[in-house]
Coordinates of all heavy atoms in Angstrom, one line a residue:
M1 N 6.4 -22.0 -50.0 CA 6.0 -23.2 -49.4 C 7.1 -24.2 -49.1 O 7.2 -24.8 -48.1 CB 5.0 -23.9 -50.3 CG 3.6 -23.2 -50.3 SD 2.5 -24.2 -51.2 CE 1.0 -23.4 -50.9
R2 N 8.1 -24.2 -50.1 CA 9.2 -25.0 -49.9 C 10.1 -24.6 -48.7 O 10.7 -25.4 -48.0 CB 10.1 -25.1 -51.2 CG 9.5 -25.9 -52.3 CD 10.4 -25.9 -53.5 NE 9.5 -25.6 -54.6 CZ 10.0 -25.0 -55.6 NH1 11.2 -24.5 -55.7 NH2 9.1 -24.7 -56.7
A3 N 10.2 -23.3 -48.5 CA 11.0 -22.8 -47.4 C 10.4 -23.2 -46.1 O 11.1 -23.6 -45.2 CB 11.0 -21.3 -47.5
D4 N 9.1 -23.2 -46.0 CA 8.5 -23.7 -44.7 C 8.7 -25.1 -44.5 O 9.0 -25.5 -43.4 CB 6.9 -23.4 -44.8 CG 6.5 -21.9 -44.7 OD1 7.4 -21.2 -44.2 OD2 5.4 -21.6 -45.1
D5 N 8.6 -25.9 -45.6 CA 8.9 -27.4 -45.4 C 10.3 -27.6 -45.0 O 10.6 -28.4 -44.1 CB 8.7 -28.1 -46.8 CG 7.2 -28.1 -47.1 OD1 6.4 -27.9 -46.2 OD2 6.8 -28.4 -48.3
A6 N 11.3 -26.9 -45.6 CA 12.7 -27.0 -45.2 C 12.9 -26.6 -43.7 O 13.6 -27.3 -43.0 CB 13.6 -26.1 -46.1
R7 N 12.3 -25.5 -43.3 CA 12.4 -25.1 -41.9 C 11.8 -26.2 -41.0 O 12.4 -26.6 -39.9 CB 11.7 -23.8 -41.6 CG 12.6 -22.6 -42.0 CD 11.9 -21.4 -41.6 NE 12.0 -20.4 -42.7 CZ 11.0 -19.9 -43.4 NH1 9.8 -20.1 -43.0 NH2 11.3 -19.2 -44.5
R8 N 10.7 -26.8 -41.3 CA 10.0 -27.7 -40.5 C 10.9 -29.0 -40.4 O 11.0 -29.6 -39.3 CB 8.6 -28.1 -41.1 CG 7.7 -28.7 -40.1 CD 6.3 -28.8 -40.6 NE 5.8 -27.5 -41.1 CZ 5.2 -27.3 -42.3 NH1 5.2 -28.2 -43.2 NH2 4.8 -26.1 -42.6
I9 N 11.4 -29.4 -41.5 CA 12.3 -30.6 -41.6 C 13.5 -30.4 -40.7 O 14.0 -31.3 -40.0 CB 12.6 -31.0 -43.0 CG1 11.4 -31.6 -43.7 CG2 13.8 -32.0 -43.1 CD1 11.5 -31.8 -45.2
E10 N 14.1 -29.2 -40.8 CA 15.3 -28.9 -40.0 C 15.0 -29.0 -38.5 O 15.8 -29.5 -37.7 CB 15.8 -27.5 -40.4 CG 17.1 -27.2 -39.9 CD 17.6 -25.9 -40.4 OE1 17.7 -25.7 -41.6 OE2 17.9 -25.0 -39.5
E11 N 13.8 -28.4 -38.1 CA 13.4 -28.5 -36.7 C 13.2 -29.9 -36.2 O 13.6 -30.3 -35.1 CB 12.1 -27.6 -36.5 CG 11.6 -27.6 -35.1 CD 12.6 -27.0 -34.1 OE1 13.4 -26.1 -34.5 OE2 12.6 -27.4 -33.0
I12 N 12.6 -30.8 -37.1 CA 12.3 -32.1 -36.8 C 13.7 -32.9 -36.6 O 13.9 -33.6 -35.7 CB 11.5 -32.8 -37.8 CG1 10.0 -32.2 -37.7 CG2 11.5 -34.3 -37.6 CD1 9.1 -32.7 -38.8
D13 N 14.6 -32.6 -37.5 CA 15.9 -33.2 -37.4 C 16.6 -32.8 -36.1 O 17.3 -33.6 -35.4 CB 16.8 -32.9 -38.6 CG 16.5 -33.7 -39.8 OD1 15.8 -34.7 -39.7 OD2 16.9 -33.3 -40.9
R14 N 16.5 -31.5 -35.7 CA 17.1 -31.1 -34.5 C 16.5 -31.8 -33.2 O 17.2 -32.3 -32.3 CB 16.9 -29.6 -34.3 CG 18.3 -28.9 -34.3 CD 18.1 -27.4 -34.1 NE 17.8 -26.7 -35.4 CZ 16.8 -25.9 -35.6 NH1 16.1 -25.5 -34.7 NH2 16.6 -25.4 -36.8
Q15 N 15.2 -31.9 -33.2 CA 14.5 -32.6 -32.1 C 14.9 -34.1 -32.1 O 15.1 -34.6 -31.0 CB 13.0 -32.4 -32.3 CG 12.5 -31.0 -32.0 CD 11.1 -30.9 -32.2 OE1 10.4 -31.8 -32.7 NE2 10.5 -29.8 -31.9
R16 N 15.0 -34.7 -33.3 CA 15.3 -36.1 -33.3 C 16.7 -36.3 -32.8 O 16.9 -37.3 -32.0 CB 15.3 -36.6 -34.8 CG 15.5 -38.1 -35.0 CD 15.3 -38.5 -36.4 NE 16.1 -37.7 -37.4 CZ 17.4 -37.9 -37.7 NH1 18.0 -38.9 -37.1 NH2 18.0 -37.1 -38.6
F17 N 17.6 -35.5 -33.1 CA 19.0 -35.6 -32.6 C 19.1 -35.5 -31.1 O 19.7 -36.2 -30.4 CB 19.9 -34.6 -33.2 CG 21.3 -34.5 -32.6 CD1 22.2 -35.5 -33.0 CD2 21.6 -33.5 -31.7 CE1 23.5 -35.4 -32.4 CE2 22.9 -33.5 -31.2 CZ 23.8 -34.4 -31.5
M18 N 18.3 -34.4 -30.6 CA 18.3 -34.2 -29.1 C 17.6 -35.4 -28.4 O 18.1 -35.9 -27.3 CB 17.5 -33.0 -28.8 CG 18.3 -31.7 -29.3 SD 19.9 -31.5 -28.6 CE 19.5 -31.1 -26.9
H19 N 16.6 -36.0 -28.9 CA 15.9 -37.2 -28.3 C 16.9 -38.4 -28.3 O 16.9 -39.1 -27.3 CB 14.6 -37.4 -29.0 CG 13.6 -36.5 -28.7 ND1 12.5 -36.3 -29.5 CD2 13.4 -35.5 -27.8 CE1 11.7 -35.3 -29.1 NE2 12.3 -34.8 -28.0
H20 N 17.6 -38.5 -29.4 CA 18.5 -39.7 -29.5 C 19.6 -39.5 -28.4 O 20.0 -40.5 -27.8 CB 19.1 -39.7 -30.9 CG 20.1 -40.8 -31.1 ND1 19.7 -42.2 -31.2 CD2 21.4 -40.8 -31.2 CE1 20.8 -42.9 -31.3 NE2 21.9 -42.1 -31.3
E21 N 20.2 -38.3 -28.3 CA 21.2 -38.1 -27.3 C 20.7 -38.3 -25.9 O 21.4 -38.9 -25.1 CB 21.8 -36.7 -27.5 CG 22.8 -36.5 -28.6 CD 24.0 -37.3 -28.4 OE1 24.7 -37.1 -27.3 OE2 24.4 -38.1 -29.2
A22 N 19.5 -37.8 -25.6 CA 18.9 -38.0 -24.3 C 18.7 -39.5 -24.0 O 19.1 -39.9 -22.8 CB 17.6 -37.2 -24.2
A23 N 18.3 -40.2 -24.9 CA 18.1 -41.7 -24.8 C 19.4 -42.4 -24.5 O 19.5 -43.2 -23.6 CB 17.4 -42.3 -25.9
R24 N 20.4 -41.9 -25.2 CA 21.8 -42.6 -25.0 C 22.3 -42.3 -23.7 O 22.8 -43.2 -23.0 CB 22.7 -42.0 -26.1 CG 24.0 -42.7 -26.2 CD 24.8 -42.2 -27.4 NE 25.4 -40.9 -27.2 CZ 26.6 -40.7 -26.6 NH1 27.3 -41.7 -26.2 NH2 27.0 -39.5 -26.4
L25 N 22.2 -41.0 -23.2 CA 22.7 -40.6 -21.9 C 21.8 -41.3 -20.8 O 22.4 -41.7 -19.7 CB 22.7 -39.1 -21.7 CG 23.7 -38.4 -22.6 CD1 23.5 -36.9 -22.5 CD2 25.1 -38.8 -22.2
M26 N 20.6 -41.5 -21.0 CA 19.8 -42.2 -20.0 C 20.1 -43.6 -19.9 O 20.2 -44.2 -18.8 CB 18.2 -42.1 -20.3 CG 17.7 -40.7 -19.9 SD 15.9 -40.7 -20.1 CE 15.7 -40.1 -21.8
A27 N 20.5 -44.2 -21.0 CA 20.9 -45.6 -20.9 C 22.2 -45.7 -20.1 O 22.4 -46.7 -19.3 CB 21.1 -46.2 -22.4
Y28 N 23.2 -44.8 -20.4 CA 24.4 -44.8 -19.6 C 24.1 -44.6 -18.1 O 24.6 -45.4 -17.2 CB 25.3 -43.7 -20.0 CG 26.3 -44.0 -21.1 CD1 26.2 -43.5 -22.3 CD2 27.3 -44.9 -20.9 CE1 27.1 -43.7 -23.3 CE2 28.3 -45.2 -21.9 CZ 28.1 -44.6 -23.1 OH 29.0 -44.9 -24.1
A29 N 23.3 -43.7 -17.8 CA 22.9 -43.4 -16.4 C 22.3 -44.5 -15.6 O 22.5 -44.8 -14.5 CB 22.1 -42.1 -16.3
F30 N 21.4 -45.2 -16.4 CA 20.7 -46.3 -15.8 C 21.6 -47.6 -15.6 O 21.6 -48.2 -14.5 CB 19.4 -46.7 -16.6 CG 18.6 -47.8 -16.0 CD1 17.7 -47.5 -15.0 CD2 18.7 -49.1 -16.5 CE1 17.0 -48.5 -14.4 CE2 17.9 -50.1 -16.0 CZ 17.0 -49.8 -14.9
H31 N 22.3 -48.0 -16.6 CA 23.0 -49.2 -16.6 C 24.4 -49.1 -15.9 O 24.8 -50.0 -15.1 CB 23.2 -49.8 -18.0 CG 21.9 -50.2 -18.6 ND1 21.1 -51.2 -18.2 CD2 21.2 -49.7 -19.6 CE1 20.0 -51.3 -18.9 NE2 20.0 -50.4 -19.8
D32 N 25.1 -48.0 -16.2 CA 26.4 -47.9 -15.6 C 26.8 -46.5 -15.5 O 27.5 -46.0 -16.4 CB 27.5 -48.7 -16.4 CG 28.8 -48.9 -15.7 OD1 28.9 -48.4 -14.6 OD2 29.6 -49.7 -16.2
P33 N 26.4 -45.8 -14.5 CA 26.7 -44.3 -14.4 C 28.2 -44.0 -14.4 O 28.6 -42.9 -14.8 CB 26.1 -43.9 -13.1 CG 25.2 -45.0 -12.7 CD 25.6 -46.3 -13.4
G34 N 29.0 -44.9 -14.0 CA 30.5 -44.7 -14.0 C 31.0 -44.5 -15.4 O 32.1 -43.8 -15.6
K35 N 30.4 -45.1 -16.4 CA 30.9 -45.0 -17.8 C 30.3 -43.8 -18.5 O 30.5 -43.7 -19.7 CB 30.5 -46.3 -18.5 CG 31.4 -47.5 -18.1 CD 31.1 -48.6 -19.0 CE 32.0 -49.8 -18.7 NZ 31.7 -51.0 -19.6
M36 N 29.4 -43.0 -17.9 CA 28.8 -41.9 -18.5 C 29.8 -40.9 -19.1 O 30.7 -40.5 -18.3 CB 27.9 -41.2 -17.6 CG 26.9 -40.3 -18.3 SD 25.5 -40.2 -17.3 CE 24.7 -38.8 -18.1
P37 N 29.7 -40.6 -20.3 CA 30.7 -39.7 -20.9 C 30.7 -38.3 -20.3 O 29.6 -37.8 -19.9 CB 30.3 -39.6 -22.4 CG 28.9 -40.1 -22.5 CD 28.7 -40.9 -21.3
E38 N 31.8 -37.6 -20.3 CA 31.9 -36.3 -19.8 C 31.2 -35.3 -20.7 O 31.2 -35.6 -21.9 CB 33.4 -35.9 -19.6 CG 34.1 -36.6 -18.6 CD 33.6 -36.3 -17.2 OE1 33.3 -35.1 -16.8 OE2 33.4 -37.3 -16.4
F39 N 30.7 -34.3 -20.2 CA 30.0 -33.2 -21.0 C 31.1 -32.5 -21.8 O 32.1 -32.0 -21.2 CB 29.2 -32.3 -20.1 CG 28.6 -31.2 -20.9 CD1 27.6 -31.3 -21.7 CD2 29.2 -29.9 -20.9 CE1 27.1 -30.3 -22.4 CE2 28.7 -28.8 -21.6 CZ 27.6 -29.0 -22.4
K40 N 30.9 -32.4 -23.0 CA 31.9 -31.6 -23.9 C 31.0 -30.6 -24.7 O 30.0 -31.0 -25.3 CB 32.6 -32.5 -24.9 CG 33.4 -33.5 -24.3 CD 34.1 -34.3 -25.4 CE 34.7 -35.6 -24.8 NZ 35.1 -36.5 -25.9
S41 N 31.3 -29.3 -24.6 CA 30.5 -28.4 -25.3 C 31.0 -28.5 -26.8 O 32.1 -28.7 -27.1 CB 30.7 -27.0 -24.8 OG 32.0 -26.5 -25.0
I42 N 30.0 -28.3 -27.7 CA 30.3 -28.4 -29.1 C 30.3 -27.0 -29.7 O 29.6 -26.2 -29.2 CB 29.4 -29.4 -29.8 CG1 27.9 -29.0 -29.6 CG2 29.6 -30.8 -29.3 CD1 27.0 -29.8 -30.4
K43 N 31.0 -26.9 -30.8 CA 30.9 -25.6 -31.5 C 29.5 -25.5 -32.1 O 28.9 -26.5 -32.5 CB 31.9 -25.6 -32.6 CG 33.3 -25.5 -32.2 CD 34.3 -25.5 -33.3 CE 35.7 -25.6 -32.9 NZ 36.6 -25.6 -34.0
A44 N 29.0 -24.2 -32.1 CA 27.7 -24.0 -32.7 C 27.9 -24.3 -34.2 O 28.9 -24.0 -34.9 CB 27.3 -22.6 -32.5
P45 N 26.9 -24.9 -34.8 CA 26.9 -25.2 -36.3 C 27.0 -23.8 -37.0 O 26.5 -22.8 -36.6 CB 25.7 -25.9 -36.6 CG 24.7 -25.6 -35.4 CD 25.6 -25.3 -34.3
E46 N 27.7 -23.9 -38.1 CA 27.9 -22.8 -39.0 C 26.5 -22.3 -39.5 O 25.7 -23.1 -39.9 CB 28.7 -23.0 -40.2 CG 30.2 -23.3 -39.8 CD 31.0 -23.5 -41.1 OE1 30.6 -23.1 -42.2 OE2 32.0 -24.2 -40.9
K47 N 26.2 -21.0 -39.3 CA 25.0 -20.5 -39.8 C 25.0 -20.3 -41.3 O 25.9 -19.8 -41.8 CB 24.6 -19.2 -39.1 CG 24.4 -19.3 -37.6 CD 23.9 -18.0 -37.0 CE 23.5 -18.2 -35.6 NZ 23.0 -17.0 -35.0
K48 N 24.0 -20.9 -41.9 CA 23.8 -20.7 -43.3 C 23.3 -19.3 -43.6 O 22.6 -18.8 -42.8 CB 22.8 -21.8 -43.9 CG 23.3 -23.2 -43.7 CD 22.2 -24.1 -44.1 CE 22.6 -25.5 -43.9 NZ 21.5 -26.5 -44.2
P49 N 23.8 -18.8 -44.7 CA 23.2 -17.4 -45.0 C 21.7 -17.5 -45.2 O 21.2 -18.5 -45.8 CB 23.9 -17.0 -46.3 CG 24.5 -18.3 -46.8 CD 24.6 -19.2 -45.7
K50 N 21.0 -16.6 -44.7 CA 19.6 -16.6 -44.8 C 19.1 -16.4 -46.2 O 19.5 -15.5 -46.9 CB 19.0 -15.5 -43.9 CG 17.5 -15.6 -43.6 CD 17.1 -14.6 -42.6 CE 15.7 -15.0 -42.1 NZ 15.2 -14.1 -41.1
V51 N 18.3 -17.4 -46.6 CA 17.8 -17.4 -48.0 C 16.5 -16.8 -48.0 O 15.6 -17.2 -47.3 CB 17.8 -18.9 -48.5 CG1 17.2 -18.9 -50.0 CG2 19.1 -19.5 -48.5
S52 N 16.3 -15.8 -48.9 CA 15.1 -15.1 -49.0 C 14.0 -16.0 -49.7 O 14.4 -16.6 -50.7 CB 15.2 -13.8 -49.8 OG 14.0 -13.3 -50.0
D53 N 12.9 -16.1 -49.1 CA 11.8 -16.9 -49.8 C 10.9 -16.0 -50.6 O 9.8 -16.3 -50.8 CB 11.1 -17.8 -48.8 CG 10.4 -17.0 -47.7 OD1 10.7 -15.8 -47.6 OD2 9.6 -17.6 -47.0
E54 N 11.4 -14.8 -50.9 CA 10.5 -13.8 -51.6 C 10.0 -14.3 -53.0 O 8.9 -14.1 -53.3 CB 11.3 -12.5 -51.7 CG 10.5 -11.3 -52.1 CD 11.2 -10.0 -52.2 OE1 12.1 -9.8 -51.3 OE2 11.0 -9.2 -53.0
A55 N 10.9 -15.0 -53.6 CA 10.6 -15.5 -55.0 C 9.5 -16.6 -54.8 O 8.5 -16.6 -55.6 CB 11.8 -16.1 -55.7
D56 N 9.6 -17.5 -53.8 CA 8.5 -18.5 -53.6 C 7.3 -17.8 -53.2 O 6.2 -18.2 -53.7 CB 8.9 -19.5 -52.5 CG 10.0 -20.5 -53.0 OD1 10.1 -20.6 -54.2 OD2 10.7 -21.0 -52.1
Q57 N 7.3 -16.8 -52.4 CA 6.1 -16.1 -52.0 C 5.4 -15.4 -53.2 O 4.2 -15.4 -53.3 CB 6.5 -15.0 -51.0 CG 7.1 -15.5 -49.7 CD 6.0 -15.8 -48.6 OE1 4.9 -15.4 -48.7 NE2 6.5 -16.7 -47.7
A58 N 6.2 -14.8 -54.1 CA 5.6 -14.1 -55.3 C 5.0 -15.2 -56.2 O 3.9 -15.0 -56.8 CB 6.8 -13.4 -56.0
R59 N 5.6 -16.3 -56.3 CA 5.1 -17.4 -57.1 C 3.8 -17.9 -56.7 O 2.8 -18.0 -57.4 CB 6.1 -18.5 -57.2 CG 5.9 -19.5 -58.4 CD 7.0 -20.5 -58.5 NE 8.3 -19.9 -58.7 CZ 9.4 -20.0 -57.9 NH1 9.3 -20.8 -56.9 NH2 10.5 -19.5 -58.2
V60 N 3.7 -18.1 -55.4 CA 2.4 -18.5 -54.7 C 1.3 -17.5 -54.9 O 0.2 -17.7 -55.2 CB 2.6 -18.9 -53.2 CG1 1.3 -19.1 -52.6 CG2 3.5 -20.1 -53.2
R61 N 1.7 -16.2 -54.7 CA 0.8 -15.1 -54.8 C 0.2 -15.0 -56.2 O -1.0 -14.8 -56.4 CB 1.5 -13.8 -54.4 CG 0.6 -12.7 -54.1 CD 1.2 -11.4 -53.5 NE 2.7 -11.2 -53.8 CZ 3.6 -11.4 -53.0 NH1 3.4 -11.9 -51.7 NH2 4.9 -11.2 -53.3
G62 N 1.1 -15.2 -57.2 CA 0.7 -15.2 -58.6 C -0.2 -16.3 -58.9 O -1.2 -16.2 -59.7
F63 N 0.1 -17.5 -58.3 CA -0.8 -18.7 -58.5 C -2.2 -18.3 -58.1 O -3.2 -18.6 -58.8 CB -0.2 -19.8 -57.8 CG -1.1 -21.1 -57.8 CD1 -1.3 -21.8 -58.9 CD2 -1.9 -21.4 -56.7 CE1 -2.1 -22.9 -59.0 CE2 -2.7 -22.5 -56.7 CZ -2.8 -23.2 -57.8
F64 N -2.3 -17.8 -56.9 CA -3.7 -17.5 -56.3 C -4.4 -16.4 -57.1 O -5.6 -16.4 -57.2 CB -3.6 -17.2 -54.8 CG -3.4 -18.4 -54.0 CD1 -2.3 -18.6 -53.2 CD2 -4.3 -19.5 -54.0 CE1 -2.1 -19.7 -52.5 CE2 -4.1 -20.6 -53.3 CZ -3.0 -20.8 -52.5
M65 N -3.6 -15.4 -57.5 CA -4.2 -14.3 -58.3 C -4.8 -14.9 -59.6 O -5.9 -14.5 -60.1 CB -3.2 -13.2 -58.6 CG -2.8 -12.4 -57.4 SD -1.5 -11.3 -57.7 CE -2.1 -10.2 -58.9
G66 N -4.0 -15.8 -60.2 CA -4.5 -16.5 -61.5 C -5.8 -17.3 -61.2 O -6.7 -17.3 -62.0
L67 N -5.8 -18.0 -60.1 CA -7.1 -18.7 -59.7 C -8.3 -17.8 -59.6 O -9.4 -18.1 -60.0 CB -6.9 -19.5 -58.4 CG -6.1 -20.8 -58.5 CD1 -5.9 -21.4 -57.1 CD2 -6.8 -21.8 -59.4
A68 N -8.0 -16.6 -58.9 CA -9.1 -15.7 -58.6 C -9.6 -15.1 -60.0 O -10.7 -14.9 -60.1 CB -8.6 -14.6 -57.7
M69 N -8.7 -14.8 -60.9 CA -9.1 -14.3 -62.2 C -9.8 -15.3 -63.0 O -10.9 -14.9 -63.6 CB -7.8 -13.8 -63.0 CG -7.3 -12.5 -62.4 SD -6.1 -11.8 -63.6 CE -4.6 -12.6 -63.1
R70 N -9.4 -16.5 -62.9 CA -10.2 -17.6 -63.7 C -11.6 -17.8 -63.1 O -12.5 -18.0 -63.8 CB -9.5 -18.9 -63.6 CG -8.5 -19.1 -64.8 CD -7.9 -20.4 -64.8 NE -6.5 -20.3 -64.7 CZ -5.7 -21.0 -63.9 NH1 -6.2 -22.0 -63.2 NH2 -4.4 -20.7 -63.8
A71 N -11.7 -17.7 -61.7 CA -13.0 -17.9 -61.1 C -13.9 -16.7 -61.4 O -15.1 -16.9 -61.6 CB -12.8 -18.0 -59.6
S72 N -13.4 -15.5 -61.4 CA -14.2 -14.3 -61.7 C -14.6 -14.3 -63.2 O -15.6 -13.7 -63.6 CB -13.5 -13.0 -61.3 OG -12.4 -12.8 -62.1
A73 N -13.8 -14.9 -64.1 CA -14.1 -15.0 -65.5 C -15.1 -16.0 -65.8 O -15.6 -16.1 -66.9 CB -12.8 -15.2 -66.3
G74 N -15.4 -16.9 -64.9 CA -16.4 -18.0 -65.0 C -15.8 -19.2 -65.7 O -16.5 -20.1 -66.1
G75 N -14.5 -19.3 -65.7 CA -13.9 -20.5 -66.3 C -13.3 -21.4 -65.4 O -13.0 -22.2 -64.9

């Protein structure tokens, strides 16, 4: 579950950054197109090593198995 949250937050941050950049460039284009900054390609961000969420998945699976056993035991 934590891995899904981290991915979702990372995606939201990426979108927020892109929207902020777009708004900044639109302001330049509208008010003074002559001052609009030149396009510069940026280096791709370093890729983080892929973290396995297998442990989190096993923990959640165990939690639900425990709930099922308690429910079938009548407790």
Side-chain angles (χ1 to χ4, degrees):
M1 290 185 168
R2 286 184 228 145
D4 288 340
D5 291 343
R7 278 188 226 119
R8 201 170 305 124
I9 289 170
E10 190 174 305
E11 179 63 29
I12 289 169
D13 281 345
R14 244 184 275 130
Q15 288 176 355
R16 184 176 53 85
F17 173 76
M18 294 301 291
H19 290 158
H20 179 75
E21 279 296 303
R24 189 173 75 88
L25 292 174
M26 282 189 271
Y28 270 113
F30 182 78
H31 294 291
D32 196 355
K35 288 186 177 180
M36 194 153 168
E38 292 294 318
F39 175 76
K40 298 177 193 171
S41 67
I42 57 173
K43 294 181 183 176
E46 293 181 22
K47 290 188 177 182
K48 296 177 186 174
K50 195 168 190 175
V51 178
S52 174
D53 61 347
E54 192 174 323
D56 287 338
Q57 299 270 342
R59 198 173 299 122
V60 171
R61 196 170 28 254
F63 172 76
F64 284 119
M65 287 172 66
L67 282 177
M69 285 193 275
R70 272 189 239 133
S72 66

